[in-house]
Amino acid sequence: MVIRDIDTDAAAAHEMFQSFEGMEGLPTSAPAARRQLSIEAFVRSVYPGVLVALTIALAADWLAGHYKAPVMLFALLFGMTFHFLHEEGRCIAGIEFASKAVLRTGVALLGARITVEQIIALGPVPIAMVVAGVTTTLLFGLLLARLLGQSRSFGVLSGGSVGICGASAALAIASVLPKTKESERDVILAVVVVTTLSTIAMILYPMLVAAIGLDHQRAGLFLGGTIHDVAQVVGAGYMISQQTGDVATYVKLLRVAMLLPVVLSIAFFIARAQGGRGGAKVPVPWFLFGFAALVALNSLGFLAKPVVDAAGDISRWCLVVAIAALGMKTTFKSLIAAGWRPVAVMVAETLWIGGLVLAVVELAT
């Protein structure tokens, strides 16, 4: 888990497909052994990138307080100006660590501020909205991919990454899809496009909900039900208010929870289509269980107020640091070589789930 959190998303995709070739008995080109790092070596590996992300977070926090502006937006924009640090050099491992492990820790700690009573107060609408959003986005992705001449695998991959949880969903779904010569390109493209679209949504959607006059709870339902990656959902939600951030996080984690049944269902259908050949392991997000555990402890009254306050402060700093790291990972130049059709599929899927969730929020809440 720790080593995975300092690998780039592209490296994870390359390694995944290389392991597939080995399982199929095909020759692989000098597979690199997984590094076993001591604690000291691990710290030396990640501290430059984490230090840069923390410095950006401190600068963003100071400016946000001085100008009364969203700290998450400052952290994101400052991070994007330092994208060159993620292209090569000693900072890459730390940037990956901050954008993954630090992010997940921050999200898990958010559970200390939420209770079951708050969740029950939302009613059944968020659950129905999430199930409908994920299901229809997958089906829409399949249809649109066919219309634009893309493979069914890309339709499922893109629909799942847009509908569930961005890059994490893309890698999980790709692990059970049939392997073709375009598979690796498709998953890396999906990771790049979904991260870019999620970053754009993080900036634009808070302005959209303000323009159409959604209250804090309905704004949280919309943001949590539409933005692709957890970090950007959290960033967009807490740009607006504490309540909006809490609701958006809960709705987003409902979408993350859909990863397991969706990937298992895809593996099942593919196994049936291929005559029963097995599927791959499904990664389960640990921060979802951490979040749920803290919600349960807080609901039962086991967390004292100083503990809840401390968890909230640590969570906030973790998320600002993670947003800064995500900014450093964001680039637009990789999209140019892929052509417009795969990008168009994912943009259309993003508009689809956005329109569906907005309709539910306006009509059913």
Side-chain angles (χ1 to χ4, degrees), residues 95-168:
I95 293 170
E96 291 293 331
F97 179 79
S99 67
K100 295 175 183 177
V102 174
L103 163 66
R104 294 164 187 159
T105 301
V107 173
L109 289 173
L110 286 174
R113 292 205 303 247
I114 300 175
T115 65
V116 171
E117 289 76 14
Q118 293 172 324
I119 295 173
I120 293 175
L122 293 175
V125 172
I127 297 175
M129 180 182 72
V130 165
V131 173
V134 172
T135 304
T136 59
T137 302
L138 276 165
L139 295 175
F140 182 66
L142 276 169
L143 175 63
L144 196 60
R146 182 176 180 181
L147 292 176
L148 291 180
Q150 304 299 301
S151 66
R152 286 189 299 174
S153 291
F154 183 78
V156 173
L157 181 68
S158 60
S161 62
V162 168
I164 304 174
C165 57
S168 299

Side-chain angles (χ1 to χ4, degrees), residues 185-207:
R185 182 211 65 185
D186 286 349
V187 69
I188 295 173
L189 175 63
V191 167
V192 172
V193 176
V194 80
T195 301
T196 301
L197 291 175
S198 191
T199 301
I200 294 171
M202 175 187 168
I203 298 171
L204 296 182
Y205 283 8
M207 294 187 282

